[in-house]
């Protein structure tokens, strides 16, 4: 073999090894997406921490939520952010992050229940250290602005619970309360949903991701943005102008999220607003319009979001949706 042949063969071997390494890494990352870590199910006697990550809240309205946890045989720890007041927020970013960090690191705390949403979780997310959490994961529960935490945890490979919060517990339906208990205690969770005229029939299986549309939109391009590839995307929102819904859906589309999802579940689109000159479509019609080119099942009117019947969803869990004209199901595997 001459020198040129040897050099060519050597370079070919190195290139082959490099390609093989890339393939292995991609396969590993792909597998990681489908092996989400489930925090331990709660047991009677476990302690749940109630704290604030965003808008401020006093402790005089927490009795119903505390009584609910006690009725399930659970203990309650009240975070230091409850009662703090920094204009709209429950203390400074550092105070909220410190409280959350303490509950993350405390091995006696088995779940963190965010007291309310609003705005502010994104201001503290980068102050958190999840090192201890990775070793001893626990459930993080909430909705609305808590979508920041749901998505951040999803990128780390951990499941979380989209469900009622302490301030919404008193007016939540029995079904919403029951499904959160089922999710927390590791029982089988599934839904049979009443048919809706705009549902798009089909069946799909994938990891459930998503949450509040406005938050998903705001996280795109950040380290907390979810990967939509081969996922079942859940969406809900509150108090938005209809053209804002269109803008956010178009952003998801242009970012490739809608192109790669296997199915969509749409929860409540509550208290939508319009301009003096109407947009011309309601929120559901906007979603239908933006997604009409994709041959995927879409389940509308799912009971989750800013409504009393806010049923629990285990984000990061594999689900199968089966949408038909007669009935629709969402089953957690």
């Amino acid at each position: 073999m001459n020198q040129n042949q040897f050099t060519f063969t050597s370079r070919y071997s190195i290139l082959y090894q490099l390609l093989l390494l890339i393939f292995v890494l991609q396969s590993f990352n792909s597998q990681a997406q489908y092996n989400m870590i489930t925090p331990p199910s709660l047991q009677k006697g476990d302690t749940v921490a109630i704290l604030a990550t965003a808008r401020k809240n006093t402790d005089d309205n927490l009795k119903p939520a505390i009584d609910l946890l006690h009725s399930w045989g659970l203990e309650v720890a009240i975070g230091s952010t409850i009662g703090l007041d920094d204009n709209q927020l429950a203390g400074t970013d550092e105070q909220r992050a410190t409280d959350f960090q303490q509950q993350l690191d405390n091995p006696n705390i088995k779940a963190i229940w965010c007291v309310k949403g609003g705005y502010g979780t994104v201001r503290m997310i980068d102050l958190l250290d999840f090192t201890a959490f990775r070793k001893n994961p626990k459930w993080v529960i909430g909705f609305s602005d808590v979508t920041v935490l749901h998505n951040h945890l999803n990128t780390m490979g951990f499941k979380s619970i989209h469900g009622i919060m302490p301030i919404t517990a008193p007016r939540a339906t029995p079904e919403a309360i029951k499904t959160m208990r089922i999710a927390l205690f590791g029982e089988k969770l599934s839904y049979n949903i009443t048919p809706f005229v705009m549902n798009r029939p089909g069946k799909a299986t994938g990891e459930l991701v998503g949450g509040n549309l406005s938050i998903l939109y705001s996280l795109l391009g950040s380290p907390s943005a979810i990967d939509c590839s081969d996922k079942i995307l859940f969406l809900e929102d509150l108090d938005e102008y209809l053209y804002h819904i269109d803008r956010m859906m178009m952003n998801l589309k242009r970012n490739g999220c809608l192109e790669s999802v296997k199915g969509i579940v749409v929860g409540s689109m509550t208290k939508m607003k319009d301009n003096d000159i109407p947009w011309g479509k309601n929120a559901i019609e906007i979603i239908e319009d933006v997604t009409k080119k994709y041959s995927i099942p879409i389940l509308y009117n799912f009971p989750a979001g800013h409504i009393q019947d806010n049923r629990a969803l285990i984000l990061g869990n594999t689900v199968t949706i089966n949408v038909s004209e007669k009935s629709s199901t969402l089953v957690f595997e």
Side-chain angles (χ1 to χ4, degrees), residues 183-201:
L184 280 173
F185 282 84
E187 299 174 21
K188 182 69 174 178
L189 190 61
S190 63
Y191 295 102
N192 195 318
I193 306 301
T194 303
F196 186 70
V197 65
M198 293 184 70
N199 280 350
R200 191 179 305 170

Side-chain angles (χ1 to χ4, degrees), residues 229-245:
S229 301
D230 298 323
K231 307 295 175 57
I232 306 296
L233 179 64
F234 168 69
L235 302 172
E236 67 85 28
D237 218 323
L238 167 75
D239 195 29
E240 284 287 349
Y241 278 95
L242 291 170
Y243 82 93
H244 287 182
I245 298 295

Side-chain angles (χ1 to χ4, degrees), residues 213 217 220 228 233 235 245-261 264 286-294:
L213 175 59
Y217 167 77
L220 288 173
C228 295
L233 179 64
L235 302 172
I245 298 295
D246 188 84
R247 177 169 60 193
M248 292 185 288
M249 288 300 301
M250 288 300 299
N251 188 276
L252 291 182
K253 180 179 181 179
R254 298 188 71 222
N255 270 278
C257 182
L258 303 182
E259 189 79 36
S260 59
V261 297
I264 298 175
I286 290 169
I287 295 172
E288 178 65 20
D289 178 60
V290 176
T291 62
K292 61 186 177 185
K293 64 174 286 187
Y294 307 113

